[in-house]
């Protein structure tokens, strides 16, 4: 699991995150607080989850977050000794097969929370180590925090009481139409002078993009309902009809009416693609999406729902694995790229160059659609 250390220290980026010691301290405390906020209200019964391919047991996942941070910050960067016996055998996601996570001799919930707090406190005492690994642990925790919300949605658990933003904002339906973006050579990806980047963003390179027109707005629930009603296509996984035939959607533990102006989400790549074809449109490429994000003019590129792109998730030319080797490499070819970020995503994760990736069948993600005009 220990990766090569021959990276250039100047070559990592957190984009909009400054990495003074004070900022690192704030990030470490904030991330752990958020994690605990997202699971604190759950009963022990709710902690026991069914074995599903798309989720992890809460008890394993909270311990994994702390172990990841202990491994990379305290052991790898700060040279400390292991805090627990056989941490790798319990919590290393590259070594512990997914289905076995339901059958491990994990510490109790109380002991796991104590471990999480102890790791956090020791990290705060070791912030003079390479900040790259502290930031890696923060963003890793942010991603798992989004996964906790996805798990809670999957299992019809309630919205965590501590959560302030609980859904995607409505689309500004007055912002109709497309933004026209001229063709040309554009810089895509991230460069070595940023504070922190993920390996799949390496490196910034030139891509020739043809002229294109991209929708200012995300596709709404009402637009997607029109598509379903017109074509008889399968409805989104969290939709159903009530006794009167009206569409409802499930938001965590509640069934609510469709909200016509909110963006459609929790749809697969195939559903997104089918909508585009029906509408005489297409998904953007991830390069077009990134160019549009940098150009400006589109609404809700970030912080509403993830946006499927037409691309398979592939390495850029010049890609090489960073120390956390399993972040991207195992997932190339089989996954599709999504861009932007959802309401459930921490704002510090969202940058034009950030590439998210899921298999195209996933319907549990807050992922929706921004369309492009056909040429
Ligand atoms: Fe992880």
């Amino acid at each position: 699991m220990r990766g090569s250390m021959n990276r250039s220290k100047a070559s990592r980026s957190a984009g909009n995150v400054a990495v003074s010691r004070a900022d690192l301290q704030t990030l470490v405390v904030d991330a752990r607080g958020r994690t605990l906020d997202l699971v604190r209200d759950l009963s022990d019964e709710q902690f026991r989850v069914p074995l599903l391919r798309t989720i992890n047991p809460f008890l394993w996942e909270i311990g994994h977050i702390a172990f990841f941070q202990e491994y990379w910050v305290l052991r790898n960067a700060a040279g400390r000794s292991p805090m627990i016996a056989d941490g790798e055998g319990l919590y290393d996601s590259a070594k512990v097969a997914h289905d076995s996570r339901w059958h491990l001799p994990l510490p109790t919930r109380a002991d796991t929370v104590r471990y999480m707090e102890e790791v956090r406190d020791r990290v705060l005492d070791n912030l003079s180590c390479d900040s790259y690994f502290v930031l890696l642990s923060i963003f890793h925790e942010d991603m798992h925090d989004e996964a906790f919300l996805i798990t809670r949605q999957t299992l019809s658990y309630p919205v965590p009481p501590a959560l302030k933003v609980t859904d995607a904002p409505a689309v500004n339906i007055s912002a109709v139409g497309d933004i026209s973006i001229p063709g040309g050579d554009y810089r895509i990806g991230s460069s070595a002078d940023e504070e922190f980047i993920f390996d799949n963003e390496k490196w910034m390179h030139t891509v020739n993009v043809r002229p294109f027109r991209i929708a200012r707005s995300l596709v709404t629930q009402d637009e997607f309902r029109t598509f379903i009603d017109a074509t008889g296509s399968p409805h989104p996984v969290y939709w159903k009809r009530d006794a009167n035939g009206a569409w409802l959607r499930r938001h965590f533990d509640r069934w609510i009416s469709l909200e016509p102006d909110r963006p459609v989400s929790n749809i697969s790549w195939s559903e997104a693609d089918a909508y585009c074809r029906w509408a005489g449109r297409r998904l953007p490429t991830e390069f077009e999406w990134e160019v549009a994000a940098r150009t400006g003019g589109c609404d809700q590129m970030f912080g509403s729902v993830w946006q499927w792109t037409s691309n398979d998730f592939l390495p850029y030319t010049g890609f090489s694995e960073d120390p956390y080797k399993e972040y991207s490499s195992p997932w190339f070819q089989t996954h599709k790229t999504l861009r932007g970020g959802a309401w459930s995503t921490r704002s510090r994760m969202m940058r034009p160059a950030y590439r998210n990736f899921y298999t195209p069948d996933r319907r549990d993600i807050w992922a929706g659609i921004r369309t492009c005009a056909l040429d």
Side-chain angles (χ1 to χ4, degrees):
M1 181 165 166
R2 181 180 294 252
S4 78
M5 296 294 115
N6 59 351
R7 63 189 184 76
S8 156
K9 282 206 173 191
S11 66
R12 298 295 172 259
S13 160
N16 52 3
V17 179
V19 287
S20 70
R21 191 185 174 102
D23 285 343
L24 287 176
Q25 187 173 346
T26 300
L27 290 167
V28 168
V29 171
D30 172 79
R32 191 57 35 86
R34 168 90 166 189
T35 299
L36 294 170
D37 276 351
L38 295 182
V39 300
R40 183 179 288 111
D41 63 303
L42 296 175
S43 67
D44 290 345
E45 180 62 30
Q46 287 171 313
F47 251 50
R48 284 188 281 278
V49 303
L51 200 167
L52 298 176
R53 184 176 56 87
T54 52
I55 67 174
N56 284 298
F58 285 107
L59 185 60
W60 180 85
E61 196 164 0
I62 59 174
H64 162 78
I65 289 170
F67 173 75
F68 185 97
Q69 189 168 50
E70 186 211 333
Y71 182 89
W72 287 110
V73 178
L74 296 176
R75 291 167 57 179
N76 182 72
R80 306 295 174 194
S81 301
M83 292 169 59
I84 54 173
D86 196 25
E88 281 91 341
L90 293 177
Y91 295 126
D92 183 342
S93 56
K95 292 178 179 162
V96 182
H98 175 263
D99 290 5
S100 71
R101 296 169 191 171
W102 274 257
H103 310 292
L104 294 167
L106 295 172
T108 65
R109 179 172 176 176
D111 285 347
T112 305
V113 170
R114 268 192 288 277
Y115 172 58
M116 297 169 74
E117 291 170 342
E118 183 64 23
V119 171
R120 175 199 61 202
D121 292 345
R122 292 194 195 186
V123 167
L124 292 173
D125 289 340
N126 285 273
L127 289 177
S128 55
C129 75
D130 186 344
S131 64
Y132 170 81
F133 292 100
V134 180
L135 292 172
L136 175 65
S137 76
I138 297 299
F139 293 127
H140 175 260
E141 186 157 5
D142 288 346
M143 288 182 225
H144 279 283
D145 283 358
E146 184 158 17
F148 290 132
L149 291 171
I150 292 167
T151 302
R152 294 179 69 126
Q153 166 73 20
T154 300
L155 301 177
S156 303
Y157 288 3
V159 176
L163 206 62
K164 295 190 178 69
V165 177
T166 61
D167 204 348
V171 169
N172 176 9
I173 53 172
S174 64
V176 293
D178 292 335
I179 301 283
S180 291
I181 298 191
D185 287 341
Y186 290 93
R187 302 294 279 165
I188 296 295
S190 294
S191 61
D193 59 359
E194 298 175 63
E195 298 289 350
F196 183 98
I197 61 168
F198 286 100
D199 55 7
N200 62 48
E201 301 165 38
K202 294 189 296 188
W203 290 112
M204 184 171 270
H205 60 290
T206 299
V207 174
N208 187 266
V209 175
R210 292 166 49 108
F212 66 101
R213 288 178 287 140
I214 187 167
R216 285 177 195 270
S217 303
L218 296 164
V219 171
T220 64
Q221 294 179 17
D222 199 48
E223 289 171 319
F224 204 83
R225 180 196 55 75
T226 304
F227 157 65
I228 296 295
D229 288 345
T231 62
S233 296
H235 59 77
V237 63
Y238 295 139
W239 289 21
K240 71 174 183 183
R241 289 188 190 274
D242 68 11
N244 299 318
W247 284 111
L248 303 175
R249 73 174 178 111
R250 184 170 64 73
H251 186 61
F252 292 88
D253 59 343
R254 293 183 305 131
W255 285 97
I256 58 178
S257 300
L258 286 196
E259 296 163 289
D261 296 344
R262 284 202 205 258
V264 68
S265 69
N266 299 99
I267 56 167
S268 68
W269 184 90
S270 301
E271 289 172 313
D273 184 58
Y275 173 86
C276 289
R277 290 170 191 273
W278 171 78
R281 307 276 291 181
R282 64 175 174 82
L283 290 173
T285 69
E286 65 170 313
F287 304 131
E288 289 170 335
W289 194 98
E290 187 169 330
V291 169
R294 293 190 196 280
T295 302
C298 291
D299 278 358
Q300 298 181 336
M301 296 296 267
F302 301 99
S304 181
V305 295
W306 289 101
Q307 293 148 60
W308 289 107
T309 75
S310 61
N311 289 76
D312 292 333
F313 179 52
L314 298 172
Y316 292 161
T317 303
F319 167 81
S320 62
E321 291 169 339
D322 278 344
Y324 174 26
K325 290 176 177 296
E326 302 87 8
Y327 179 67
S328 303
S329 288
W331 322 115
F332 288 134
Q333 315 287 341
T334 54
H335 288 48
K336 292 284 186 185
T337 307
L338 302 92
R339 294 300 196 102
W343 64 268
S344 47
T345 313
R346 301 309 301 273
S347 58
R348 56 183 170 244
M349 294 287 302
M350 298 189 245
R351 297 176 282 116
Y354 180 74
R355 308 170 76 199
N356 200 354
F357 46 92
Y358 283 106
T359 53
D361 59 318
R362 293 288 292 263
R363 303 169 90 192
D364 55 331
I365 311 304
W366 284 285
I369 316 170
R370 184 182 303 276
T371 66
C372 278
L374 298 176
D375 295 329

